[in-house]
Amino acid sequence: KHLTNLTIAAGVFIFTKLYADAISFNSIELSGVNLVGHLLVITFVIQWMAYIPAFLLKTEKFYDLTGSITYITVMLISIYLASLFNVLSIPKIIIAGAIIIWALRLGSFLFMRIHKAGEDKRFADIKVNPPRLLMTWTLQGLWVCICSASALVALTSSMVLDISTIFIAGLALFIIGFLLEVIADNQKTKFNSLPENKDKFINVGLWSRSRHPNYFGEFLVWAGISIMSVEYMSGLSYAALISPVFSYLLINYVSGVRMLENKARKKWGHLDSYKEYLAKTPKFMPKLF
């Protein structure tokens, strides 16, 4: 099992490196290497450095926070390098700024939540298994690279473009997704903080429209980023558009929705009120009426 986890970690890095090379079709180069490749290495190095104290302390408390710090670091470095190569523009600043704002909000929210809860139960078995923990940290590097792929293509591109109608449409989608995620998270936090709601499921506010409105918001965030970035793409760099698809698949079938749905069914599946909620409320995309 240990060898399997280490093999997966190595495979994830190699796959991401090949993917980065593919989408760097129009990337400027630094020391003969495309900037996407440099940013990929930085992303994984941050994860592996954070793995060391996580392994020594057997803790997962700064896992999500590190993911957000990685997004912010990569975006800031991208902006700096674009400026250095004289290819910085307002659209690129907005793309990077959008991701930085999203990462700051989500990272701080998840960091405070786990410290309040005391632990993330998903890591109960993982944090005491060093190779599996290393694989988990490496997978976070994959998450950062794939989700931000469209943005990386735009930020490392030699093209300097003005704000267009397509860009504005993507920005609008990002804003809608960001607001959905923030409002849904705040509604759930407030709901769970009330003593009378102890051991109850949330079915008010946005949660009456979707069983996972926060995750739908996150999907829209990356769809918006991809649309803002699409005009910088050509050739193989269009493969970066897998970003929102990857986000959707990850949220619905790996973590997030799948895990929470299973947990909720075990806890409330016997209740008629929960059965009615399941029947009337979409799992992902919110109902409008």
Side-chain angles (χ1 to χ4, degrees):
K1 287 185 178 180
H2 289 348
L3 184 60
T4 300
N5 287 319
L6 293 174
T7 302
I8 291 173
V12 165
F13 178 75
I14 293 169
F15 165 79
T16 314
K17 176 65 171 68
L18 293 172
Y19 177 72
D21 288 341
I23 66 173
S24 61
F25 187 79
N26 197 34
S27 171
I28 49 182
E29 294 187 350
L30 183 64
S31 302
V33 179
N34 65 75
L35 287 187
V36 180
H38 285 292
L39 295 169
L40 163 103
V41 171
I42 291 169
T43 297
F44 280 97
V45 167
I46 293 173
Q47 308 315 306
W48 294 331
M49 287 176 63
Y51 161 77
I52 296 171
F55 158 66
L56 294 174
L57 300 172
K58 290 183 171 53
T59 182
E60 76 287 4
K61 288 188 176 180
F62 53 87
Y63 180 79
D64 291 318
L65 182 63
T66 302
S68 292
I69 290 172
T70 306
Y71 277 110
I72 294 167
T73 302
V74 169
M75 290 302 111
L76 291 175
I77 292 174
S78 299
I79 286 295
Y80 170 73
L81 291 174
S83 174
L84 199 65
F85 283 86
N86 295 315
V87 294
L88 189 60
S89 61
I90 295 299
K92 291 184 181 182
I93 293 172
I94 293 173
I95 290 169
I99 292 178
I100 289 170
I101 291 169
W102 169 84
L104 280 170
R105 202 288 310 183
L106 184 63
S108 58
F109 171 77
L110 294 176
F111 185 68
M112 288 186 289
R113 188 177 70 178
I114 193 171
H115 273 266
K116 186 176 180 181
E119 67 171 337
D120 187 335
K121 293 180 180 179
R122 295 174 303 172
F123 281 79
D125 296 326
I126 296 174
K127 61 187 176 184
V128 295
N129 184 327
R132 191 176 175 194
L133 184 63
L134 177 63
M135 180 195 69
T136 304
W137 278 97
T138 304
L139 286 172
Q140 180 158 258
L142 172 70
W143 171 62
V144 174
C145 288
I146 301 296
C147 281
S148 61
S150 292
L152 293 179
V153 168
L155 294 170
T156 63
S157 172
S158 58
M159 290 189 285
V160 179
L161 304 175
D162 294 323
I163 292 176
S164 65
T165 303
I166 292 175
F167 182 88
I168 292 172
L171 180 59
L173 197 62
F174 168 84
I175 292 171
I176 292 169
F178 181 75
L179 290 175
L180 276 175
E181 192 171 359
V182 172
I183 293 169
D185 282 340
N186 288 342
Q187 286 178 343
K188 191 171 186 179
T189 300
K190 184 177 180 180
F191 180 88
N192 289 336
S193 68
L194 299 175
E196 61 266 31
N197 291 331
K198 182 176 172 60
D199 294 327
K200 291 183 179 179
F201 62 90
I202 182 170
N203 59 354
V204 295
L206 290 175
W207 300 84
S208 67
R209 301 286 178 181
S210 164
R211 303 206 296 273
H212 302 280
N214 53 338
Y215 286 126
F216 180 71
E218 176 143 341
F219 165 72
L220 291 186
V221 160
W222 294 115
I225 294 293
S226 293
I227 292 171
M228 281 192 275
S229 306
V230 72
E231 291 177 295
Y232 293 93
M233 297 178 189
S234 57
L236 286 175
S237 62
Y238 278 110
L241 290 175
I242 197 175
S243 168
V245 177
F246 175 81
S247 178
Y248 174 82
L249 295 174
L250 183 67
I251 286 170
N252 277 278
Y253 301 107
V254 181
S255 62
V257 170
R258 182 184 66 84
M259 295 176 71
L260 290 176
E261 286 280 302
N262 290 338
K263 184 180 176 182
R265 288 176 192 276
K266 289 178 182 177
K267 191 171 185 178
W268 300 299
H270 62 288
L271 299 176
D272 289 338
S273 57
Y274 186 70
K275 291 176 183 176
E276 183 180 359
Y277 177 66
L278 287 179
K280 292 184 176 181
T281 313
K283 181 169 70 173
F284 192 61
M285 185 179 291
K287 60 183 179 182
L288 297 177
F289 305 103

